[in-house]
Amino acid sequence: MSETTPAPDLSFEMPPALATQGFAVRPRTPQDTDFLRELYISFRWAELEAAGWPDAVRRSFLADQFRLQDNHYTTHYTTTAFLIITQNGAPVGRLYIDRGGVHEIRLVDIILVPMLTGQGIGSAIIRVLLDEAARTGRYVGLHVESYNPARRLYQRLGFVDRKPQGPYMFMTWGAGHPDDDLPPSGG
């Protein structure tokens, strides 16, 4: 392993159709923490509905889960570009991309505020990474919870189930994965 960790590649060109609607990305700053916490809470809120917890308990739990996830990402994903998706300058999502692998572009995470989901924005952003992978001869890899509705989106975009890992499914898109000569796992 190299003594020097490469700097994250912060490049990302927003699709023209989204750019004309005011969408852009910028690097994350410490001032984004409150927004990112609220984004995480909004994304996970419904999952805890069945627990029957009071809102304050659910909120506290999710805030702690965000803190743990954020610490894990920033500690272990040292070559990741932590980007904030904006619309007309206001934060509306997060896009975490790791291009540190020779053969892989890793989509670590993408989340949009609830009012922007289901409009094709996430798909358009992911297609930028798919185009980059195709141009550079790499594949795009990601982990998604097996029960997460986003898994169906990834399947529609052409991602293939590779391997279950705990509650997650590792999925890939494109050629160049070391197991391309093996049949994909069921899913």
Side-chain angles (χ1 to χ4, degrees), residues 95-184:
L95 176 62
Y96 297 168
I97 308 165
D98 189 340
R99 293 181 178 96
V102 173
H103 302 288
E104 178 187 31
I105 298 170
R106 175 66 60 105
L107 176 57
V108 177
D109 204 359
I110 181 171
I111 302 177
L112 293 165
V113 294
M115 65 186 240
L116 293 178
T117 61
Q119 298 180 29
I121 298 164
S123 296
I125 290 171
I126 293 168
R127 282 189 185 99
V128 171
L129 298 177
L130 303 183
D131 290 346
E132 177 184 340
R135 276 192 324 274
T136 60
R138 294 186 281 176
Y139 66 91
V140 177
L142 59 83
H143 283 91
V144 63
E145 293 95 346
S146 297
Y147 59 84
N148 188 325
R151 187 169 171 211
R152 288 190 304 277
L153 165 66
Y154 299 136
Q155 290 167 335
R156 283 194 309 271
L157 290 171
F159 281 83
V160 175
D161 291 345
R162 288 290 180 175
K163 180 170 64 170
Q165 295 176 323
Y168 301 96
M169 176 60 69
F170 178 63
M171 302 179 79
T172 64
W173 179 97
H177 186 273
D179 294 336
D180 276 345
D181 57 338
L182 302 175

Side-chain angles (χ1 to χ4, degrees), residues 8-92:
D9 179 348
L10 299 175
S11 65
F12 185 84
E13 189 169 332
M14 191 60 68
L18 293 181
T20 61
Q21 297 175 50
F23 286 97
V25 296
R26 62 168 173 76
R28 172 187 173 167
T29 68
Q31 291 75 28
D32 292 312
T33 302
D34 290 343
F35 164 74
L36 290 168
R37 182 185 321 101
E38 294 307 312
L39 180 67
Y40 181 88
I41 289 170
S42 72
F43 181 71
R44 297 289 186 184
W45 188 260
E47 290 177 25
L48 295 179
E49 191 72 37
W53 294 347
D55 286 355
V57 172
R58 189 175 355 173
R59 181 171 181 69
S60 177
F61 176 81
L62 289 171
D64 194 48
Q65 292 296 297
F66 164 76
R67 183 185 57 76
L68 293 169
Q69 182 193 63
D70 194 56
N71 183 61
H72 176 77
Y73 281 171
T74 56
T75 301
H76 298 287
Y77 289 81
T78 57
T79 58
T80 296
F82 295 99
L83 303 172
I84 300 296
I85 302 167
T86 62
Q87 185 177 29
N88 301 321
V92 295

